[in-house]
Amino acid sequence: AENLAQVQKNINESCNKINRDPNEVTLIAVSKTKPVEMLKEAYDAGARVFGENKVQEIVDKYDQMPSDVKWHMIGHLQTNKVKYIIDKVSMIHSVDSYKLAAEIDKRAGAKGITMDILLQVNSAQEESKFGITTAETEELIHEILENCENIRLRGLMCVAPFAEDPEDIKVYFDEVKKQYDQFAGIEHPHLDFKYLSMGMSHDFKVA
């Protein structure tokens, strides 16, 4: 509860600095590897959006948590595992190929749902991380919009490199924000840019 309150305070302060409404910011409690008891404690303190890296953890925790929890898949997702979480998550942050988008589209269609997705952009082009380059983003967006009926593009996701001073990686957040702005104005039934998923515990204030 104390950690959540402190993070929310930091979010409010960062938003006030740039005259932004803190209510526009969604705080995701990343619950990977954490036991359900800890998730319930966070829930009781007000957390409603939980992020998981692994399909198996979502499957295991899903029925143990209250039904108003929104689960976000934030880790790398293999196409053969989409079917296990398609009706459990409200957003998939880590779409990094047309092949994965097509599988999500197929599985969502089979369940009669529309899945919100974000494209993972590796703006620093780190070899250790998944994601498309900023140059590949436009092509993938057009491919998805032309071929997928059961997914909705809601924005972009970026995991910046680690830096002792988060100000040093601001350039990577800037690059993804510029790209976000480029597509945010497009009118299309399967594109509604609203989210920029970026910033972790040590760098979210800069993000």
Side-chain angles (χ1 to χ4, degrees):
E2 283 170 23
N3 283 348
L4 265 173
Q6 184 59 52
V7 170
Q8 197 58 61
K9 182 168 174 275
N10 290 342
I11 289 172
N12 293 347
E13 286 171 1
S14 296
C15 286
N16 289 337
K17 265 189 209 169
I18 53 169
N19 295 320
R20 187 174 178 195
D21 181 358
N23 292 318
E24 289 181 348
V25 178
T26 300
L27 169 61
I28 300 175
V30 177
S31 48
K32 59 177 184 175
T33 74
K34 300 289 186 268
V36 170
E37 293 69 37
M38 203 178 275
L39 272 68
K40 285 180 175 168
E41 195 180 326
Y43 178 91
D44 290 341
R48 289 296 179 272
V49 184
F50 289 83
E52 287 286 346
N53 268 41
K54 293 199 161 50
V55 165
Q56 193 56 51
E57 284 203 65
I58 293 173
V59 172
D60 290 345
K61 293 171 179 175
Y62 184 80
D63 287 330
Q64 299 184 66
M65 291 293 288
S67 59
D68 62 337
V69 163
K70 284 191 164 68
W71 296 96
H72 287 205
M73 178 65 189
I74 60 173
H76 180 64
L77 180 58
Q78 294 170 294
T79 50
N80 63 344
K81 294 193 173 169
V82 171
K83 60 189 176 208
Y84 300 116
I85 59 161
I86 196 68
D87 56 348
K88 292 179 170 59
V89 298
S90 59
M91 186 178 286
I92 297 171
H93 290 229
S94 46
V95 177
D96 59 359
S97 69
Y98 176 70
K99 183 184 171 194
L100 176 57
E103 179 66 16
I104 293 168
D105 182 56
K106 181 178 99 176
R107 297 293 178 179
K111 292 282 184 183
I113 58 177
T114 299
M115 178 55 64
D116 283 349
I117 67 165
L118 306 179
L119 299 185
Q120 181 172 353
V121 181
N122 184 352
S123 56
Q125 296 190 31
E126 287 184 281
E127 289 190 5
S128 61
K129 291 199 176 92
F130 291 99
I132 52 175
T133 64
T134 44
E136 294 167 330
T137 308
E138 186 168 4
E139 186 184 343
L140 181 54
I141 286 175
H142 288 306
E143 202 172 0
I144 289 171
L145 293 182
E146 282 169 21
N147 298 293
C148 299
E149 292 287 316
N150 306 294
I151 53 184
R152 189 166 47 165
L153 279 162
R154 302 308 308 274
L156 305 175
M157 183 265 252
C158 148
V159 180
F162 179 81
E164 289 298 332
D165 181 358
E167 287 291 338
D168 293 342
I169 52 170
K170 190 171 183 284
V171 61
Y172 301 118
F173 293 139
D174 279 345
E175 196 175 330
V176 178
K177 171 65 164 72
K178 276 185 198 141
Q179 213 166 29
Y180 172 92
D181 290 340
Q182 185 185 336
F183 302 110
I186 296 175
E187 286 194 19
H188 191 283
H190 297 291
L191 185 147
D192 178 19
F193 266 33
K194 189 183 172 185
Y195 300 105
L196 254 182
S197 171
M198 55 191 198
M200 296 193 284
S201 298
H202 68 287
D203 60 12
F204 74 88
K205 288 189 273 190
V206 170

